[in-house]
Amino acid sequence: MNKNKLTAGVDEVGRGSWIGPVFSAAVILKKNINKNLLRDSKKIPAKERKQLANYIKKNSIYSVGKASIKEIDKLNILQATLLSMKRAINNLKHKPNIILVDGAHAPKNMGYHFKTIIRGDEKISSISAASIIAKVARDR
């Protein structure tokens, strides 16, 4: 893996439900992964999602971050989501050069170059992978 040009995809789950913690995942895909398998986690049945999550974990560098219900109540849902994203990014084994984030908001003051992409989980493989990893982590 070329550590000089690493791109991470980041996505969250749990933000819309407002009934539990919010989970985010950060994923750096290895070059050998089959990107044709990756798509928005909301469009994948639960059983297939679990299988894909295992495949992604074997073919990527990934991390999961979480913000608790108490943190959501204290901060608000947007800030708690950004906190869970920061935790996922900070736990990556390798530092990416750029981080592609699903949606309109990205964490700030982290020393990374971020690019937000509306509906990124439908367009960018690493964000799709992050959506799958985050959803499986949340469902556990």
Side-chain angles (χ1 to χ4, degrees):
M1 180 170 288
N2 182 352
K3 294 180 185 177
N4 295 326
K5 296 194 179 195
L6 296 180
T7 300
V10 174
D11 198 6
E12 56 71 32
V13 296
R15 186 171 170 189
S17 69
W18 290 63
I19 59 171
V22 63
F23 285 79
S24 293
V27 177
I28 300 170
L29 298 175
K30 293 181 180 174
K31 291 184 185 216
N32 64 329
I33 196 162
N34 182 350
K35 293 180 181 179
N36 293 325
L37 298 174
L38 306 175
R39 57 195 190 281
D40 179 5
S41 65
K42 294 180 288 298
K43 297 178 180 176
I44 303 171
K47 184 177 179 182
E48 184 182 343
R49 210 170 30 240
K50 287 179 189 176
Q51 293 169 341
L52 267 176
N54 289 331
Y55 174 74
I56 293 164
K57 288 175 182 180
K58 291 176 185 172
N59 293 284
S60 71
I61 298 164
Y62 72 95
S63 177
V64 175
K66 174 182 161 185
S68 70
I69 295 168
K70 285 184 181 184
E71 289 170 318
I72 294 168
D73 289 343
K74 180 180 176 184
L75 300 171
N76 75 41
I77 189 64
L78 174 60
Q79 294 306 314
T81 298
L82 296 173
L83 177 61
S84 74
M85 288 180 180
K86 283 183 180 182
R87 289 173 174 161
I89 294 163
N90 284 335
N91 288 328
L92 283 170
K93 290 180 189 174
H94 299 288
K95 294 193 179 285
N97 297 76
I98 186 167
I99 299 173
L100 307 176
V101 180
D102 182 50
H105 302 280
K108 304 235 185 298
N109 303 320
M110 291 189 68
Y112 291 103
H113 177 70
F114 287 93
K115 182 175 181 183
T116 56
I117 302 168
I118 303 295
R119 296 168 76 135
D121 52 357
E122 297 175 6
K123 303 171 185 173
I124 308 293
S125 298
S126 60
I127 297 176
S128 298
S131 79
I132 293 164
I133 295 291
K135 190 168 292 243
V136 169
R138 191 244 2 234
D139 291 348
R140 283 193 186 133

